[in-house]
Every structure is written in structure tokens, then in C-alpha cells.
Amino acid sequence: MYVMTTATAPLSASAPAPVWARRAAHAIALCAVPSGLWRIAMACGVYVGYSDQVLRDVFDIPGWGIAYVVGLSVLTELAALFPLLLVSDRWRPLHPRVLAPLAWTASGVLVVVALWQLVVAFAVESQTYMSSGTAQTVWGFVFAPLFAIPALMTAVTWSYAKRHRARGQA
């Protein structure tokens, strides 16, 4: 006689992600776009508020700094796509027991990084290297969406953990 237990029961599909969580995950990917485009413009030689001397001395542009800022833009956008895994119904490369702690860790790191970036922005970046108030304003507008990412990521992670916890209790 075969007795089905929780250990041998087939895994049922979890509830689909709520619409707000899907929208938040997509918003995270979009929040990274303006700063990435700004960095790529800087690497291409478009004036973004830094003098030629600052670009050479601080960012090594032209030079290896171009690869750094373009690579940082690509890496940032790839990382911003991670929350889409939390709302996907079709593609699940990691088990929820692995993905949920990874997502909570990412949320915590994002909060710390956002706080650190605020300190850098107000203490160093906009005060020292930018050549004009207009450039500082543009810089602020293109980087401001990044500060929404920690809250959005935490909400998407919470939704994912809640859905998969409910599945485990059913």
C-alpha cells in the first residue's frame, strides 16, 4: 500500500504573481535604464557635466574607463532583470528554497547600497566633480529612479516568499 506524505506529494504549481508584483518587477528593470544611458553617453564623449580633465583623471575616459562604465551599465541592467524571475510562471531556474533567500539577500544589499549612494551623491559626486548646477540636476534625475529599486525589490520578494510559503503549507 502506498501512502502519500508531504515528502512524496507532487509539487503543485504556486499561485501566479499578483499584477502589482509583475508591474513592480518590470518597473525595476526600467528604473535602471536612465542611469545606464547616462553612463553610456559619458563613455561616448557626450558632455554630462564632467570636465575633460575629470573624465581623464577620475574615470579614465578615454581609456579603460569606457569599458568600466559601459560594463557597469550592462551589469546593472542584467541585475535589474533578476526580479522578473520572481514573477515568472514559466521559467524557474532555481528552487524556491534557494531563490527566496537569494532575493531577500539582494533586497537587503540594495537597501545598503542605496543608502551608501545617497552619502556619495551628496558628499562627493555632485559637489566635487560636476561643473554646473544644470549637470547636477540632470544627474539627479537620471539616478533618482535607482532609489525606488530597493522598495520595489523588497515588495516583489515579499510577494514571492508569501506565494511559495502558502504553497508549502497547503
Side-chain angles (χ1 to χ4, degrees):
M1 180 170 149
Y2 178 76
V3 176
M4 186 179 295
T5 64
T6 56
T8 60
L11 289 176
S12 62
S14 63
V19 174
W20 68 263
R22 290 179 186 278
R23 288 182 181 160
H26 285 86
I28 291 169
L30 293 175
C31 284
V33 172
S35 62
L37 293 175
W38 184 88
R39 282 190 213 98
I40 290 170
M42 182 174 80
C44 291
V46 175
Y47 178 72
V48 294
Y50 295 128
S51 69
D52 289 340
Q53 181 181 355
V54 168
L55 288 174
R56 272 192 314 276
D57 296 346
V58 176
F59 297 103
D60 196 24
I61 294 176
W64 284 103
I66 293 172
Y68 169 74
V69 296
V70 171
L72 183 60
S73 296
V74 169
L75 184 64
T76 301
E77 193 57 45
L78 286 174
L81 295 174
F82 170 73
L84 295 175
L85 291 176
L86 303 175
V87 297
S88 174
D89 294 330
R90 296 181 190 167
W91 191 62
R92 296 186 186 166
L94 297 173
H95 192 278
R97 284 188 214 143
V98 175
L99 193 55
L102 182 62
W104 281 120
T105 301
S107 294
V109 168
L110 285 168
V111 169
V112 170
V113 168
L115 293 173
W116 172 62
Q117 284 299 311
L118 279 173
V119 170
V120 169
F122 290 113
V124 179
E125 193 74 26
S126 62
Q127 304 301 319
T128 306
Y129 300 129
M130 289 283 177
S131 59
S132 73
T134 303
Q136 290 174 348
T137 302
V138 170
W139 181 85
F141 277 120
V142 299
F143 280 87
L146 292 177
F147 293 107
I149 292 176
L152 292 169
M153 180 66 185
T154 301
V156 171
T157 301
W158 175 81
S159 172
Y160 179 82
K162 181 180 172 190
R163 285 191 330 271
H164 287 278
R165 191 172 338 126
R167 182 184 81 176
Q169 293 172 353

